Amino acid sequence: WIKSRRRPDLPPECVQVIQVYDTAFEEGEENDYSARTTWGVFEHAAHREDWAEPELQVILLERWKGRVGFPELCRLAWESYQEYRPDRVIIEKKTVGSPLIKELRKKKVPVREFNPGSRSKTVRAHTAAAVLEMGAVWYMMRDWADEVINTCAAFPHDEHDDLTDTAVCAWLWLRWHFWLGRDEKDEGDREAEEEARTAV
């Protein structure tokens, strides 16, 4: 479902860039990683026959994960923002996510809180999978891209789901703000829409 770009060294020109964070509680080998993925929305020229205009698709631009303390997490987040200048930085408001949101807002970073709601990670992943099913997700041929793809493919059976959480959050947000993988709104998607809109 995830397609590779022919020019692995050159991402397409993006009309929107978002970064998504999944934060761990604290540093230490016994804890999960903190993770980030950066995604770019671009116009894909080879559009579907029934579309009058180029369709919007999304490409994975980079990924990071690590077990770091809060000061280091803040430093890395600020450096990544300066490098990619995302239009939105989406952070789940949990554990160190809350203070990270506050610190980045002090620096005028366009941070948006993400509230996953009461639905399980598996249900959210199934909802977000519509973006994958329509072939709207791309990657550049890099080792770190393989890691993200393999982690998502192993969900929910992988030991760590931090990168998957960032990808699912990104796909949900993009689904409801850029109409990726959404033809009609049905009752089962209304809760997902509300969750995504909390990151507006």
PDB file of all heavy atoms in Angstrom, residues 127-154:
ATOM      1  N   THR A 127      -9.213   3.070  11.147  1.00  0.00           N
ATOM      2  CA  THR A 127      -9.800   4.256  10.545  1.00  0.00           C
ATOM      3  C   THR A 127      -8.801   4.965   9.646  1.00  0.00           C
ATOM      4  O   THR A 127      -9.116   5.388   8.534  1.00  0.00           O
ATOM      5  CB  THR A 127     -10.292   5.224  11.640  1.00  0.00           C
ATOM      6  OG1 THR A 127     -11.221   4.547  12.488  1.00  0.00           O
ATOM      7  CG2 THR A 127     -10.967   6.439  11.028  1.00  0.00           C
ATOM      8  N   ALA A 128      -7.573   5.074  10.129  1.00  0.00           N
ATOM      9  CA  ALA A 128      -6.531   5.756   9.360  1.00  0.00           C
ATOM     10  C   ALA A 128      -6.097   4.961   8.138  1.00  0.00           C
ATOM     11  O   ALA A 128      -5.556   5.529   7.180  1.00  0.00           O
ATOM     12  CB  ALA A 128      -5.322   6.020  10.251  1.00  0.00           C
ATOM     13  N   ALA A 129      -6.333   3.662   8.135  1.00  0.00           N
ATOM     14  CA  ALA A 129      -5.872   2.798   7.043  1.00  0.00           C
ATOM     15  C   ALA A 129      -6.501   3.137   5.706  1.00  0.00           C
ATOM     16  O   ALA A 129      -5.979   2.749   4.660  1.00  0.00           O
ATOM     17  CB  ALA A 129      -6.147   1.331   7.383  1.00  0.00           C
ATOM     18  N   ALA A 130      -7.603   3.891   5.719  1.00  0.00           N
ATOM     19  CA  ALA A 130      -8.237   4.278   4.456  1.00  0.00           C
ATOM     20  C   ALA A 130      -7.292   5.084   3.581  1.00  0.00           C
ATOM     21  O   ALA A 130      -7.326   4.994   2.353  1.00  0.00           O
ATOM     22  CB  ALA A 130      -9.508   5.076   4.727  1.00  0.00           C
ATOM     23  N   VAL A 131      -6.415   5.877   4.208  1.00  0.00           N
ATOM     24  CA  VAL A 131      -5.440   6.656   3.455  1.00  0.00           C
ATOM     25  C   VAL A 131      -4.457   5.729   2.753  1.00  0.00           C
ATOM     26  O   VAL A 131      -4.051   5.965   1.614  1.00  0.00           O
ATOM     27  CB  VAL A 131      -4.700   7.629   4.397  1.00  0.00           C
ATOM     28  CG1 VAL A 131      -3.659   8.442   3.631  1.00  0.00           C
ATOM     29  CG2 VAL A 131      -5.690   8.570   5.076  1.00  0.00           C
ATOM     30  N   LEU A 132      -4.092   4.642   3.432  1.00  0.00           N
ATOM     31  CA  LEU A 132      -3.191   3.662   2.834  1.00  0.00           C
ATOM     32  C   LEU A 132      -3.867   2.896   1.701  1.00  0.00           C
ATOM     33  O   LEU A 132      -3.278   2.664   0.643  1.00  0.00           O
ATOM     34  CB  LEU A 132      -2.712   2.669   3.898  1.00  0.00           C
ATOM     35  CG  LEU A 132      -1.824   3.195   5.013  1.00  0.00           C
ATOM     36  CD1 LEU A 132      -1.618   2.107   6.054  1.00  0.00           C
ATOM     37  CD2 LEU A 132      -0.492   3.661   4.461  1.00  0.00           C
ATOM     38  N   GLU A 133      -5.105   2.507   1.933  1.00  0.00           N
ATOM     39  CA  GLU A 133      -5.817   1.671   0.969  1.00  0.00           C
ATOM     40  C   GLU A 133      -5.962   2.341  -0.393  1.00  0.00           C
ATOM     41  O   GLU A 133      -5.956   1.679  -1.429  1.00  0.00           O
ATOM     42  CB  GLU A 133      -7.194   1.305   1.517  1.00  0.00           C
ATOM     43  CG  GLU A 133      -7.135   0.346   2.697  1.00  0.00           C
ATOM     44  CD  GLU A 133      -8.509   0.029   3.245  1.00  0.00           C
ATOM     45  OE1 GLU A 133      -9.463  -0.058   2.431  1.00  0.00           O
ATOM     46  OE2 GLU A 133      -8.656  -0.124   4.463  1.00  0.00           O
ATOM     47  N   MET A 134      -6.097   3.657  -0.402  1.00  0.00           N
ATOM     48  CA  MET A 134      -6.251   4.356  -1.673  1.00  0.00           C
ATOM     49  C   MET A 134      -4.915   4.669  -2.333  1.00  0.00           C
ATOM     50  O   MET A 134      -4.863   5.259  -3.402  1.00  0.00           O
ATOM     51  CB  MET A 134      -7.051   5.645  -1.481  1.00  0.00           C
ATOM     52  CG  MET A 134      -6.319   6.756  -0.764  1.00  0.00           C
ATOM     53  SD  MET A 134      -7.237   8.331  -0.803  1.00  0.00           S
ATOM     54  CE  MET A 134      -7.169   8.722  -2.544  1.00  0.00           C
ATOM     55  N   GLY A 135      -3.812   4.241  -1.700  1.00  0.00           N
ATOM     56  CA  GLY A 135      -2.497   4.455  -2.286  1.00  0.00           C
ATOM     57  C   GLY A 135      -2.018   5.882  -2.216  1.00  0.00           C
ATOM     58  O   GLY A 135      -1.299   6.357  -3.105  1.00  0.00           O
ATOM     59  N   ALA A 136      -2.394   6.596  -1.144  1.00  0.00           N
ATOM     60  CA  ALA A 136      -2.056   8.013  -1.025  1.00  0.00           C
ATOM     61  C   ALA A 136      -0.798   8.262  -0.208  1.00  0.00           C
ATOM     62  O   ALA A 136      -0.440   9.415   0.029  1.00  0.00           O
ATOM     63  CB  ALA A 136      -3.224   8.769  -0.401  1.00  0.00           C
ATOM     64  N   VAL A 137      -0.105   7.200   0.246  1.00  0.00           N
ATOM     65  CA  VAL A 137       1.056   7.361   1.117  1.00  0.00           C
ATOM     66  C   VAL A 137       2.324   6.915   0.385  1.00  0.00           C
ATOM     67  O   VAL A 137       2.376   5.816  -0.177  1.00  0.00           O
ATOM     68  CB  VAL A 137       0.886   6.563   2.428  1.00  0.00           C
ATOM     69  CG1 VAL A 137       2.094   6.751   3.336  1.00  0.00           C
ATOM     70  CG2 VAL A 137      -0.394   6.996   3.149  1.00  0.00           C
ATOM     71  N   TRP A 138       3.343   7.757   0.436  1.00  0.00           N
ATOM     72  CA  TRP A 138       4.604   7.516  -0.256  1.00  0.00           C
ATOM     73  C   TRP A 138       5.765   7.582   0.730  1.00  0.00           C
ATOM     74  O   TRP A 138       5.635   8.116   1.833  1.00  0.00           O
ATOM     75  CB  TRP A 138       4.819   8.564  -1.343  1.00  0.00           C
ATOM     76  CG  TRP A 138       3.830   8.505  -2.461  1.00  0.00           C
ATOM     77  CD1 TRP A 138       2.520   8.906  -2.415  1.00  0.00           C
ATOM     78  CD2 TRP A 138       4.059   8.025  -3.792  1.00  0.00           C
ATOM     79  NE1 TRP A 138       1.920   8.696  -3.626  1.00  0.00           N
ATOM     80  CE2 TRP A 138       2.836   8.167  -4.496  1.00  0.00           C
ATOM     81  CE3 TRP A 138       5.171   7.502  -4.452  1.00  0.00           C
ATOM     82  CZ2 TRP A 138       2.709   7.804  -5.832  1.00  0.00           C
ATOM     83  CZ3 TRP A 138       5.035   7.140  -5.785  1.00  0.00           C
ATOM     84  CH2 TRP A 138       3.818   7.291  -6.459  1.00  0.00           C
ATOM     85  N   TYR A 139       6.894   7.047   0.299  1.00  0.00           N
ATOM     86  CA  TYR A 139       8.120   7.163   1.100  1.00  0.00           C
ATOM     87  C   TYR A 139       9.318   7.262   0.173  1.00  0.00           C
ATOM     88  O   TYR A 139       9.265   6.864  -0.988  1.00  0.00           O
ATOM     89  CB  TYR A 139       8.273   5.958   2.037  1.00  0.00           C
ATOM     90  CG  TYR A 139       8.602   4.652   1.332  1.00  0.00           C
ATOM     91  CD1 TYR A 139       9.924   4.207   1.237  1.00  0.00           C
ATOM     92  CD2 TYR A 139       7.602   3.866   0.771  1.00  0.00           C
ATOM     93  CE1 TYR A 139      10.228   3.007   0.593  1.00  0.00           C
ATOM     94  CE2 TYR A 139       7.895   2.673   0.126  1.00  0.00           C
ATOM     95  CZ  TYR A 139       9.216   2.255   0.045  1.00  0.00           C
ATOM     96  OH  TYR A 139       9.510   1.073  -0.610  1.00  0.00           O
ATOM     97  N   MET A 140      10.392   7.852   0.695  1.00  0.00           N
ATOM     98  CA  MET A 140      11.655   7.871  -0.014  1.00  0.00           C
ATOM     99  C   MET A 140      12.463   6.652   0.403  1.00  0.00           C
ATOM    100  O   MET A 140      12.347   6.180   1.534  1.00  0.00           O
ATOM    101  CB  MET A 140      12.410   9.169   0.292  1.00  0.00           C
ATOM    102  CG  MET A 140      11.694  10.399  -0.249  1.00  0.00           C
ATOM    103  SD  MET A 140      12.595  11.931   0.083  1.00  0.00           S
ATOM    104  CE  MET A 140      12.370  12.079   1.856  1.00  0.00           C
ATOM    105  N   MET A 141      13.270   6.139  -0.490  1.00  0.00           N
ATOM    106  CA  MET A 141      13.965   4.881  -0.231  1.00  0.00           C
ATOM    107  C   MET A 141      15.153   5.113   0.696  1.00  0.00           C
ATOM    108  O   MET A 141      16.294   5.282   0.266  1.00  0.00           O
ATOM    109  CB  MET A 141      14.393   4.248  -1.559  1.00  0.00           C
ATOM    110  CG  MET A 141      13.208   3.896  -2.460  1.00  0.00           C
ATOM    111  SD  MET A 141      13.692   3.190  -4.046  1.00  0.00           S
ATOM    112  CE  MET A 141      14.387   1.616  -3.494  1.00  0.00           C
ATOM    113  N   ARG A 142      14.854   5.134   1.984  1.00  0.00           N
ATOM    114  CA  ARG A 142      15.858   5.317   3.029  1.00  0.00           C
ATOM    115  C   ARG A 142      15.688   4.210   4.073  1.00  0.00           C
ATOM    116  O   ARG A 142      14.588   3.684   4.240  1.00  0.00           O
ATOM    117  CB  ARG A 142      15.701   6.675   3.709  1.00  0.00           C
ATOM    118  CG  ARG A 142      15.591   7.861   2.734  1.00  0.00           C
ATOM    119  CD  ARG A 142      16.919   8.229   2.142  1.00  0.00           C
ATOM    120  NE  ARG A 142      16.775   9.329   1.183  1.00  0.00           N
ATOM    121  CZ  ARG A 142      16.728  10.612   1.509  1.00  0.00           C
ATOM    122  NH1 ARG A 142      16.787  10.971   2.784  1.00  0.00           N
ATOM    123  NH2 ARG A 142      16.611  11.541   0.582  1.00  0.00           N
ATOM    124  N   ASP A 143      16.761   3.909   4.792  1.00  0.00           N
ATOM    125  CA  ASP A 143      16.684   2.874   5.822  1.00  0.00           C
ATOM    126  C   ASP A 143      15.651   3.225   6.885  1.00  0.00           C
ATOM    127  O   ASP A 143      14.918   2.366   7.365  1.00  0.00           O
ATOM    128  CB  ASP A 143      18.055   2.664   6.470  1.00  0.00           C
ATOM    129  CG  ASP A 143      19.054   2.016   5.523  1.00  0.00           C
ATOM    130  OD1 ASP A 143      18.604   1.428   4.522  1.00  0.00           O
ATOM    131  OD2 ASP A 143      20.264   2.113   5.777  1.00  0.00           O
ATOM    132  N   TRP A 144      15.613   4.506   7.267  1.00  0.00           N
ATOM    133  CA  TRP A 144      14.674   4.889   8.315  1.00  0.00           C
ATOM    134  C   TRP A 144      13.223   4.785   7.843  1.00  0.00           C
ATOM    135  O   TRP A 144      12.324   4.569   8.645  1.00  0.00           O
ATOM    136  CB  TRP A 144      14.970   6.285   8.841  1.00  0.00           C
ATOM    137  CG  TRP A 144      15.166   7.356   7.815  1.00  0.00           C
ATOM    138  CD1 TRP A 144      16.343   7.870   7.367  1.00  0.00           C
ATOM    139  CD2 TRP A 144      14.137   8.062   7.099  1.00  0.00           C
ATOM    140  NE1 TRP A 144      16.126   8.858   6.431  1.00  0.00           N
ATOM    141  CE2 TRP A 144      14.781   8.990   6.249  1.00  0.00           C
ATOM    142  CE3 TRP A 144      12.745   7.997   7.099  1.00  0.00           C
ATOM    143  CZ2 TRP A 144      14.084   9.853   5.412  1.00  0.00           C
ATOM    144  CZ3 TRP A 144      12.033   8.852   6.266  1.00  0.00           C
ATOM    145  CH2 TRP A 144      12.714   9.764   5.429  1.00  0.00           C
ATOM    146  N   ALA A 145      13.001   4.928   6.542  1.00  0.00           N
ATOM    147  CA  ALA A 145      11.643   4.748   6.020  1.00  0.00           C
ATOM    148  C   ALA A 145      11.213   3.291   6.151  1.00  0.00           C
ATOM    149  O   ALA A 145      10.068   2.991   6.493  1.00  0.00           O
ATOM    150  CB  ALA A 145      11.575   5.205   4.566  1.00  0.00           C
ATOM    151  N   ASP A 146      12.149   2.376   5.885  1.00  0.00           N
ATOM    152  CA  ASP A 146      11.851   0.951   6.053  1.00  0.00           C
ATOM    153  C   ASP A 146      11.449   0.643   7.487  1.00  0.00           C
ATOM    154  O   ASP A 146      10.562  -0.173   7.740  1.00  0.00           O
ATOM    155  CB  ASP A 146      13.064   0.102   5.666  1.00  0.00           C
ATOM    156  CG  ASP A 146      13.341   0.131   4.165  1.00  0.00           C
ATOM    157  OD1 ASP A 146      12.403   0.436   3.405  1.00  0.00           O
ATOM    158  OD2 ASP A 146      14.487  -0.149   3.772  1.00  0.00           O
ATOM    159  N   GLU A 147      12.118   1.301   8.439  1.00  0.00           N
ATOM    160  CA  GLU A 147      11.795   1.070   9.851  1.00  0.00           C
ATOM    161  C   GLU A 147      10.360   1.478  10.161  1.00  0.00           C
ATOM    162  O   GLU A 147       9.627   0.765  10.849  1.00  0.00           O
ATOM    163  CB  GLU A 147      12.761   1.836  10.752  1.00  0.00           C
ATOM    164  CG  GLU A 147      12.481   1.627  12.234  1.00  0.00           C
ATOM    165  CD  GLU A 147      13.361   2.478  13.123  1.00  0.00           C
ATOM    166  OE1 GLU A 147      14.036   3.379  12.600  1.00  0.00           O
ATOM    167  OE2 GLU A 147      13.354   2.243  14.351  1.00  0.00           O
ATOM    168  N   VAL A 148       9.945   2.636   9.653  1.00  0.00           N
ATOM    169  CA  VAL A 148       8.577   3.094   9.889  1.00  0.00           C
ATOM    170  C   VAL A 148       7.571   2.129   9.267  1.00  0.00           C
ATOM    171  O   VAL A 148       6.587   1.733   9.905  1.00  0.00           O
ATOM    172  CB  VAL A 148       8.369   4.513   9.326  1.00  0.00           C
ATOM    173  CG1 VAL A 148       6.905   4.944   9.479  1.00  0.00           C
ATOM    174  CG2 VAL A 148       9.284   5.507  10.026  1.00  0.00           C
ATOM    175  N   ILE A 149       7.832   1.727   8.030  1.00  0.00           N
ATOM    176  CA  ILE A 149       6.919   0.818   7.331  1.00  0.00           C
ATOM    177  C   ILE A 149       6.814  -0.517   8.058  1.00  0.00           C
ATOM    178  O   ILE A 149       5.722  -1.049   8.278  1.00  0.00           O
ATOM    179  CB  ILE A 149       7.383   0.609   5.883  1.00  0.00           C
ATOM    180  CG1 ILE A 149       7.257   1.914   5.101  1.00  0.00           C
ATOM    181  CG2 ILE A 149       6.562  -0.485   5.205  1.00  0.00           C
ATOM    182  CD1 ILE A 149       7.937   1.888   3.754  1.00  0.00           C
ATOM    183  N   ASN A 150       7.957  -1.072   8.446  1.00  0.00           N
ATOM    184  CA  ASN A 150       7.952  -2.369   9.130  1.00  0.00           C
ATOM    185  C   ASN A 150       7.267  -2.294  10.488  1.00  0.00           C
ATOM    186  O   ASN A 150       6.564  -3.230  10.893  1.00  0.00           O
ATOM    187  CB  ASN A 150       9.386  -2.875   9.284  1.00  0.00           C
ATOM    188  CG  ASN A 150      10.024  -3.237   7.955  1.00  0.00           C
ATOM    189  OD1 ASN A 150       9.326  -3.547   6.988  1.00  0.00           O
ATOM    190  ND2 ASN A 150      11.342  -3.186   7.884  1.00  0.00           N
ATOM    191  N   THR A 151       7.466  -1.186  11.196  1.00  0.00           N
ATOM    192  CA  THR A 151       6.815  -1.022  12.495  1.00  0.00           C
ATOM    193  C   THR A 151       5.307  -0.942  12.343  1.00  0.00           C
ATOM    194  O   THR A 151       4.550  -1.552  13.106  1.00  0.00           O
ATOM    195  CB  THR A 151       7.345   0.247  13.198  1.00  0.00           C
ATOM    196  OG1 THR A 151       8.758   0.129  13.387  1.00  0.00           O
ATOM    197  CG2 THR A 151       6.675   0.439  14.550  1.00  0.00           C
ATOM    198  N   CYS A 152       4.850  -0.190  11.344  1.00  0.00           N
ATOM    199  CA  CYS A 152       3.405  -0.087  11.098  1.00  0.00           C
ATOM    200  C   CYS A 152       2.833  -1.437  10.673  1.00  0.00           C
ATOM    201  O   CYS A 152       1.733  -1.817  11.088  1.00  0.00           O
ATOM    202  CB  CYS A 152       3.136   0.962  10.024  1.00  0.00           C
ATOM    203  SG  CYS A 152       3.436   2.671  10.544  1.00  0.00           S
ATOM    204  N   ALA A 153       3.576  -2.163   9.846  1.00  0.00           N
ATOM    205  CA  ALA A 153       3.093  -3.462   9.371  1.00  0.00           C
ATOM    206  C   ALA A 153       2.972  -4.473  10.505  1.00  0.00           C
ATOM    207  O   ALA A 153       2.114  -5.355  10.473  1.00  0.00           O
ATOM    208  CB  ALA A 153       4.026  -3.996   8.290  1.00  0.00           C
ATOM    209  N   ALA A 154       3.842  -4.340  11.514  1.00  0.00           N
ATOM    210  CA  ALA A 154       3.833  -5.281  12.636  1.00  0.00           C
ATOM    211  C   ALA A 154       2.762  -4.954  13.673  1.00  0.00           C
ATOM    212  O   ALA A 154       2.461  -5.780  14.541  1.00  0.00           O
ATOM    213  CB  ALA A 154       5.206  -5.313  13.311  1.00  0.00           C
TER     214      ALA A 154
END
